[in-house]
Amino acid sequence: MTATLLPAIIQIAEQAGEAILAIYGRDQADFNISAKSDDSPLTAADMAAHRLIVAELAKLTPELPILSEEAADISWDIRKSWQRYWLVDPLDGTKEFIKRNGEFTVNIALIDNGEPVLGVVHAPVLAKTYYAAKGEGAFLKHAGNVRPIKVNQASRDQLVKVVGSRSHPSPDLAGYLAQFDQHEMVPVGSSLKFCLVADGTADVYPRFGPTMAWDTGAGHIVATEAGATVSFDGISGKVYQREQLLNPNFMVSALVQATGD
């Protein structure tokens, strides 16, 4: 039943991408950049995508509540009763948007009982849409073609490709990397990090640093449906049904044990 929503959600994400690109093509002075309470940037594109997605989701599934980064001031007293809801980041990677490097995404996930069961990650500049539904596998739509994607399943004793944040480097990463004989860094912004593990471009995405629930929900289901494991420090289940919207550190991995381990 959940999977039947995918075509509509893909269309909504791509429409939001078009709204973002309309602003992306303007002079940067027209981005209307401001700072949120946590000093992260907010642009006209964030709000344009937010308004479009919320309006379309409300038409598609009026019975389901929506938690969007740009309208996240909803108390836990209300959210704790949500069995199913939409989790949305209208523009993930606002810093990438401002830098014009193309590494930003639209993230839409359907959460059921605290777990993502459907996710769409759309990268407007790259014209790529990654998507998945629970039990249905993960897919990439690009240049008019759709293909299933699977993780690479690299061994720890081979060259390990590690995807990391372009805008949020972490000092803890160096300690993590010391366990590998050989590694290669693959820097990229936004939830594309989940997707690069999912499609086999990278082998592991270790996150040491702050992210929010809407940053990870859609990429989470894409990665797991492609065969990766996603584990959050100190949380065994219901990652997306907590009072705290700030995620702990987490790991997205396609690594397998080295031969003889």
Side-chain angles (χ1 to χ4, degrees):
M1 190 69 168
T2 296
T4 60
L5 291 168
L6 266 173
I9 301 306
I10 291 168
Q11 183 177 29
I12 292 170
E14 291 177 347
Q15 288 173 343
E18 291 172 5
I20 290 169
L21 289 179
I23 296 169
Y24 191 67
R26 299 177 188 171
D27 186 274
Q28 192 178 92
D30 294 328
F31 286 1
N32 295 338
I33 302 169
S34 60
K36 292 191 280 191
S37 59
D38 62 356
D39 288 331
S40 61
L42 177 70
T43 71
D46 294 82
M47 294 311 300
H50 163 74
R51 287 189 290 266
L52 186 151
I53 292 168
V54 168
E56 293 300 318
L57 289 177
K59 287 191 288 186
L60 179 69
T61 54
E63 74 282 5
L64 295 182
I66 302 166
L67 180 63
S68 169
E69 178 179 10
E70 309 313 339
D73 190 17
I74 302 172
S75 75
W76 174 238
D77 285 341
I78 294 172
R79 291 190 290 108
K80 67 184 178 182
S81 65
W82 291 359
Q83 169 69 25
R84 286 165 64 91
Y85 70 94
W86 293 108
L87 181 60
V88 176
D89 191 340
L91 201 172
D92 182 26
T94 301
K95 290 181 180 179
E96 273 60 50
F97 174 87
I98 293 169
K99 293 174 186 174
R100 295 185 189 271
N101 68 15
E103 295 174 358
F104 54 85
T105 59
V106 176
N107 302 339
I108 304 176
L110 178 62
I111 307 301
D112 191 340
N113 195 30
E115 300 292 341
V117 294
L118 176 152
V120 174
V121 177
H122 174 58
V125 172
L126 305 179
K128 291 183 176 182
T129 304
Y130 296 86
Y131 62 90
K134 189 173 182 179
E136 301 292 333
F139 298 85
L140 168 61
K141 178 184 175 185
H142 179 54
N145 298 312
V146 174
R147 65 175 178 88
I149 55 174
K150 294 293 288 184
V151 298
N152 190 38
Q153 290 193 319
S155 172
R156 293 173 184 269
D157 58 0
Q158 299 171 338
L159 175 66
V160 176
K161 294 183 178 180
V162 183
V163 68
S165 176
R166 192 181 293 282
S167 293
H168 303 278
S170 165
D172 295 322
L173 184 59
Y176 172 78
L177 295 174
Q179 68 182 291
F180 302 120
D181 293 334
Q182 307 174 72
H183 73 269
E184 175 187 333
M185 287 302 301
V186 183
V188 72
S190 73
S191 58
L192 285 170
K193 293 182 282 292
F194 283 90
C195 300
L196 293 190
V197 175
D199 71 9
T201 301
D203 304 310
V204 61
Y205 165 31
R207 183 64 186 223
F208 305 103
T211 60
M212 303 299 290
W214 43 76
D215 295 318
T216 60
H220 186 156
I221 183 70
V222 170
T224 55
E225 283 296 314
T229 59
V230 179
S231 54
F232 288 79
D233 288 359
I235 304 176
S236 58
K238 296 194 176 183
V239 176
Y240 303 98
Q241 193 68 26
R242 301 181 300 129
E243 181 174 6
Q244 178 62 266
L245 293 170
L246 181 69
N247 291 323
N249 293 343
F250 62 85
M251 189 75 59
V252 183
S253 179
L255 295 175
V256 296
Q257 291 296 104
T259 303
D261 282 5

